[in-house]
Amino acid sequence: MDPPIYYSTAEFIETDTGNKVSRRANISGPQNIILGGKTIIASGAIIRGDLKRAGPGHSVVISLGRYCLVSEGCIVRPPYKTYRGTFNYYPVKIGDHVHIGANTVVEAATIGNYVEIGKNCVIGKFTIIKDCARVADGTVVPPNTVVPALSSFAGSPGRFVGDLPESTQEVVEARTKQHYGRFQPMER
């Protein structure tokens, strides 16, 4: 069993659903960000829920599932494009049991469940990462890429490097639950 990861209760806000959000994270437009529960947003992470779609009152929603980890220095922002002369941002949906490594930039349209994204990655605009996929540290996934289920991507540009075992879902779920369980408040 790995040792606990202690955090200062003064630095993290814990919600009723068990989300732990660092006060040093930059959460813009929190009314447009949905956290599924038991999600950890680390210090220095930036989540941009303040970017608007064209038209009045069209907010872009960023949703994260349960047992997600957005590591230090990550940036999660909605993808954008100009369509018929109109600039638009689009929603971001991140599934359950997703670990996003430190200093990674995410502009994906969809990230499935049981996905591990390494450190220092760039996930290009409108990328779709299917369930049980892995993106290695330092990978640059080009815009509009579809990362298939049970596949591993690496490199710059990111490309398929191998299949993952059928047990990936159970392994990633156990890992994310264990990480959340290890993330403990410091004793005073």
Side-chain angles (χ1 to χ4, degrees):
M1 179 85 177
D2 290 324
I5 302 165
Y6 290 111
Y7 67 90
S8 162
T9 52
E11 187 191 332
F12 279 81
I13 300 163
E14 186 166 355
T15 69
D16 294 343
T17 53
N19 297 307
K20 296 176 182 180
V21 180
S22 171
R23 292 180 193 276
R24 293 194 204 135
N26 184 343
I27 310 291
S28 302
Q31 68 278 12
N32 302 323
I33 298 169
I34 300 165
L35 302 178
K38 296 189 161 78
T39 285
I40 300 170
I41 309 293
S43 175
I46 298 170
I47 301 182
R48 296 294 307 270
D50 60 332
L51 304 171
K52 302 273 187 222
R53 295 180 80 157
H58 289 86
S59 296
V60 171
V61 174
I62 296 177
S63 72
L64 287 94
R66 303 184 67 223
Y67 290 102
C68 290
L69 171 62
V70 179
S71 299
E72 298 80 14
C74 281
I75 300 172
V76 178
R77 61 181 174 231
Y80 59 87
K81 67 180 174 186
T82 302
Y83 179 71
R84 294 188 178 172
T86 305
F87 182 85
N88 264 322
Y89 286 101
Y90 293 83
V92 178
K93 181 170 186 344
I94 298 174
D96 298 336
H97 303 282
V98 174
H99 184 138
I100 302 172
N103 303 311
T104 287
V105 177
V106 175
E107 287 186 291
T110 309
I111 297 174
N113 302 310
Y114 315 104
V115 172
E116 292 180 307
I117 299 172
K119 300 186 286 258
N120 304 310
C121 294
V122 175
I123 308 301
K125 292 190 294 242
F126 297 104
T127 293
I128 296 172
I129 300 177
K130 303 281 189 170
D131 293 352
C132 302
R134 180 176 301 134
V135 176
D137 290 354
T139 300
V140 177
V141 179
N144 304 306
T145 300
V146 176
V147 176
L150 292 169
S151 69
S152 181
F153 265 52
S156 179
R159 56 176 69 82
F160 177 81
V161 293
D163 291 315
L164 296 175
E166 291 288 328
S167 61
T168 297
Q169 176 176 334
E170 290 80 15
V171 170
V172 174
E173 181 174 344
R175 215 176 275 154
T176 55
K177 285 183 173 178
Q178 181 189 33
H179 185 89
Y180 183 84
R182 289 171 51 212
F183 200 72
Q184 298 289 329
M186 255 184 281
E187 305 284 326
R188 290 198 172 209

